[in-house]
């Protein structure tokens, strides 16, 4: 009974603090100068947003995927003494085959070509 009372009081206090802080933190004045990008006191010459190369993003994602796969492949060298050599070779070859098939697929789709 006492713990549910304390829980209710804590819930009410924390909700009240969140509501009060939300109300007090609102900006009431929206100034055009404050909302514009700042360039040493001058008006900005161009757009604040630069065009983003989707090609670069795709190559970066492919790099991350292959980087994680290589990271998963590295511990294979440290367990060579703990497993049977045939199991170790089969596991390593299978993992490398999957890695090479993924690389071939990306190359075949043209995702690795930087410039058209």
């Amino acid at each position: 009974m006492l713990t549910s009372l304390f829980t209710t009081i804590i819930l009410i206090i924390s909700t009240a603090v969140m509501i009060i802080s939300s109300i007090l933190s609102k900006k009431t004045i929206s100034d055009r100068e404050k909302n514009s990008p700042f360039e040493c006191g001058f008006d900005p010459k161009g757009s604040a947003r630069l065009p983003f190369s989707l090609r670069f993003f795709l190559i970066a994602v492919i790099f991350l995927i292959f980087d994680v796969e290589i990271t998963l492949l590295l511990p294979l060298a440290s367990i060579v003494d703990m497993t049977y050599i045939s199991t170790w070779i089969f596991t390593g070859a299978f993992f490398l085959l999957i890695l090479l098939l993924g690389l071939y697929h990306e190359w075949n789709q043209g995702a690795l070509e930087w410039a058209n």
Side-chain angles (χ1 to χ4, degrees):
M1 176 71 183
L2 191 60
T3 57
S4 65
L5 178 67
F6 284 140
T7 305
T8 307
I9 291 173
I10 290 173
L11 183 66
I12 290 172
I13 290 173
S14 62
T15 305
V17 168
M18 286 192 309
I19 290 172
I20 290 171
S21 67
S22 172
I23 291 171
L24 293 178
S25 69
K26 299 263 187 216
K27 284 187 176 180
T28 57
I29 300 172
S30 179
D31 189 14
R32 183 181 68 86
E33 293 295 326
K34 286 185 179 180
N35 290 336
S36 67
F38 180 71
E39 290 186 11
C40 301
F42 298 105
D43 289 331
K45 293 182 179 181
S47 174
R49 304 272 183 203
L50 296 175
F52 186 72
S53 172
L54 192 61
R55 205 78 168 144
F56 173 76
F57 178 74
L58 183 63
I59 288 179
V61 168
I62 291 170
F63 171 76
L64 284 176
I65 290 170
F66 283 109
D67 194 39
V68 168
E69 288 178 350
I70 293 297
T71 304
L72 292 173
L73 188 65
L74 284 176
L76 200 61
S78 65
I79 63 165
V80 70
D81 296 335
M82 300 177 208
T83 61
Y84 296 113
I85 193 71
S86 60
T87 307
W88 184 81
I89 289 174
F90 177 73
T91 305
F94 185 69
F95 198 80
L96 280 174
L97 179 69
I98 291 173
L99 198 71
L100 288 174
L101 284 174
L103 179 63
Y104 175 73
H105 177 69
E106 295 297 331
W107 189 7
N108 195 19
Q109 294 291 321
L112 299 177
E113 295 176 15
W114 181 256
N116 292 334

